[in-house]
Amino acid sequence: MRRFAVVSRGTVGEVGILPIAVAGEIRPGDSLSERLLAAAKKQGIRFQARDILVVKHKVVSKAEGALVALAEIRPSAASRVWARRYGLDARVTELALRESRRVVRRKRGVLITETRHGFVCANSGVDVSNVDGGSHAVLLPQDPDRSASRLRTELKKRLRLEIAVIVSDSFGRPWREGLTEVAIGIAGMRPLVDYRGRRDSHGYALHASIDAIADELACAAGLVCGKLARTPACIIRGFSYRPGYGKATQMIRPAAYDLFR
């Protein structure tokens, strides 16, 4: 178990991250809850009340059948031109456009879109890595919040414990190199902590401090759920979160307050 000391809601505590490695592929129709429980049991991991389960979206999408055979995609002329110019797969470009609500930016082979969920990311989250070697592409879950809620409900019935669930994905960021994890689905916890109006240790009243707790937890999980680690999930234990109703869509900044739209 890997542990990291963190500052949580004003108190210093210890937070543990327990990786859950899953043997074999997750396939459409598989019970993700059963696969995760079996993997945890094999590793001697027992869930506890107030644990946070973070699951990579790709296994959620696979279990839900959000896979597309690339051989069945017929790219438009525009997609073929764009892909040929930058050495891309026109079928993936076509899928990304189909899965988007709008195109935010096209430049030097990078296609930034807004998905129907409201997420702004590369290629609408369409990915071919860690699927089956390039025959299929995996899409984002149709409703990641609902996916998180369903998984939490199934685990709660089996475990008789109150836990929270986060579905995560890797996003790029403006002005920063590298990918980092974000929460695209949430169940059983509040995704944001609002410190506005509270005073710091010097007595200064905070005016703009709202912490994206769910994203920070997703990032912590990313330390052990790497792309090549075959570890699609982990348990975060010891973090003091606010239980209750929460959705990842609460973390999408309204257009009226978004300075970059």
Side-chain angles (χ1 to χ4, degrees):
M1 175 168 157
R2 307 183 187 188
R3 295 181 181 273
F4 304 89
V6 300
V7 177
S8 171
R9 298 182 65 183
T11 59
V12 178
E14 189 177 71
V15 172
I17 304 179
L18 292 77
I20 301 178
V22 177
E25 287 291 326
I26 302 294
R27 304 191 182 282
D30 283 355
S31 169
L32 188 56
S33 60
E34 290 182 6
R35 293 290 300 273
L36 291 174
L37 287 172
K41 182 178 180 180
K42 185 176 181 180
Q43 294 170 232
I45 298 173
R46 296 175 63 89
F47 280 83
Q48 296 180 10
R50 303 273 298 177
D51 278 348
I52 305 164
L53 176 68
V54 183
V55 186
K56 297 285 288 184
H57 97 81
K58 199 160 289 183
V59 292
V60 175
S61 294
K62 288 179 179 180
E64 293 179 354
L67 297 165
V68 177
L70 291 176
E72 299 176 1
I73 301 298
R74 298 293 178 264
S76 66
S79 293
R80 291 197 300 270
V81 169
W82 173 261
R84 190 181 306 118
R85 182 183 303 167
Y86 297 104
L88 306 173
D89 188 329
R91 301 169 300 178
V92 175
T93 299
E94 182 68 21
L95 265 179
L97 293 173
R98 292 183 189 180
E99 292 295 308
S100 71
R101 178 186 296 171
R102 68 185 178 103
V103 175
V104 177
R105 181 87 165 177
R106 290 175 181 255
K107 192 170 184 179
R108 293 194 294 272
V110 178
L111 184 65
I112 304 297
T113 62
E114 181 181 357
T115 72
R116 61 176 178 273
H117 319 83
F119 307 135
V120 176
C121 57
N123 291 326
S124 302
V126 176
D127 198 357
V128 294
S129 66
N130 288 316
V131 183
D132 57 7
S135 297
H136 288 76
V138 64
L139 311 179
L140 295 180
Q142 185 174 9
D143 186 339
D145 283 318
R146 185 173 61 193
S147 300
S149 179
R150 183 185 301 121
L151 180 57
R152 178 175 180 266
T153 298
E154 292 172 359
L155 290 171
K156 184 177 178 180
K157 288 180 180 178
R158 295 283 298 274
L159 299 168
R160 300 185 182 279
L161 295 172
E162 289 290 343
I163 66 170
V165 173
I166 294 174
V167 178
S168 69
D169 192 13
S170 301
F171 280 17
R173 301 156 295 162
W175 306 305
R176 304 285 289 183
E177 289 289 353
L179 302 174
T180 191
E181 298 298 306
V182 299
I184 65 169
I186 299 169
M189 66 174 292
R190 307 288 179 87
L192 301 165
V193 174
D194 191 346
Y195 292 103
R196 291 175 299 179
R198 297 175 64 176
R199 295 187 178 275
D200 66 16
S201 58
H202 301 281
Y204 178 79
L206 302 179
H207 299 287
S209 297
I210 302 177
D211 281 2
I213 295 299
D215 280 346
E216 292 176 343
L217 291 165
C219 286
L223 296 173
V224 298
C225 298
K227 289 186 176 297
L228 302 179
R230 300 192 66 82
T231 304
C234 72
I235 294 171
I236 298 180
R237 179 168 295 163
F239 183 80
S240 179
Y241 64 91
R242 292 179 62 201
Y245 177 76
K247 300 177 68 175
T249 49
Q250 293 174 259
M251 305 177 72
I252 298 174
R253 180 165 289 164
Y257 298 99
D258 193 333
L259 301 180
F260 303 97
R261 295 199 186 205

